[in-house]
Amino acid sequence: LTAASVAVSSSLTVIGGAKLAQKLSATALKKALGVFMLLVAPTVPLRDYLKTLQSSNKEDNESTFINTKEVEKALSNALGPLTIGAFSGLLAGLFGVGGGAITVPALTLFTDLDYQVSLGTSLAAMLPTAISGCITQARWGTMKGSVAMPLAAGCVVGSYVGGSFGK
């Protein structure tokens, strides 16, 4: 359910990210990507610390009228992955990033998934997003098939080998 939620919302927003990328200059895109990567990079190593902060804030905000844990669980099971997917798709269309840079850190921070399950879930969710983004980019002539196809083949082999080592 989490992978499907991320996949659906990211497949829709990837087109908007691609449209935005068309409007920006190459220089502006490079600078924005650099800033984005610097902001995202510390999230995975800081995950445990950030989760601790979240836990202490949750305990302070407990309510006797509403079971906040049940509400949070419902939101994280549906709204969280949909939101993560929406941002992931937008950034995938804009920068060509998504799974590893957005979805994995966000799933580990905002859901109850551990890091390894977040990796697998992200990979499953990014396939439809990648297809949607590729179709959009190919239509606009911003994808070079002679480079993309061998790159895709290498990614298939590399992800299989990497997944085998990761386990």
Side-chain angles (χ1 to χ4, degrees):
L1 180 63
T2 300
S5 298
V6 172
V8 167
S9 58
S10 64
S11 294
L12 296 173
T13 58
V14 70
I15 297 166
K19 285 181 182 180
L20 183 57
Q22 289 287 317
K23 295 179 181 188
L24 297 174
S25 70
T27 302
L29 277 172
K30 288 177 192 177
K31 288 178 181 178
L33 177 61
V35 169
F36 165 75
M37 294 301 233
L38 289 171
L39 293 172
V40 170
T43 60
V44 172
L46 293 175
R47 174 186 176 250
D48 293 334
Y49 175 72
L50 294 172
K51 285 261 188 191
T52 304
L53 289 178
Q54 279 181 327
S55 296
S56 65
N57 287 339
K58 287 177 190 174
E59 290 168 9
D60 294 342
N61 294 327
E62 295 271 339
S63 171
T64 57
F65 298 108
I66 298 173
N67 186 340
T68 56
K69 290 185 184 199
E70 289 297 320
V71 172
E72 278 182 13
K73 185 173 183 175
L75 286 175
S76 100
N77 286 341
L79 187 57
L82 286 170
T83 304
I84 291 166
F87 281 108
S88 179
L90 183 71
L91 292 169
L94 182 61
F95 297 131
V97 299
I102 298 295
T103 308
V104 173
L107 286 173
T108 60
L109 284 171
F110 302 115
T111 69
D112 59 352
L113 302 180
D114 66 28
Y115 187 73
Q116 287 179 317
V117 174
S118 293
L119 284 170
T121 302
S122 173
L123 289 171
M126 289 302 104
L127 183 60
T129 306
I131 291 168
S132 178
C134 286
I135 290 169
T136 301
Q137 296 292 348
R139 280 188 191 154
W140 293 340
T142 54
M143 180 180 72
K144 188 160 179 92
S146 62
V147 175
M149 293 307 175
L151 181 62
C155 287
V156 168
V157 173
S159 64
Y160 177 78
V161 171
S164 298
F165 283 122
K167 187 68 176 160

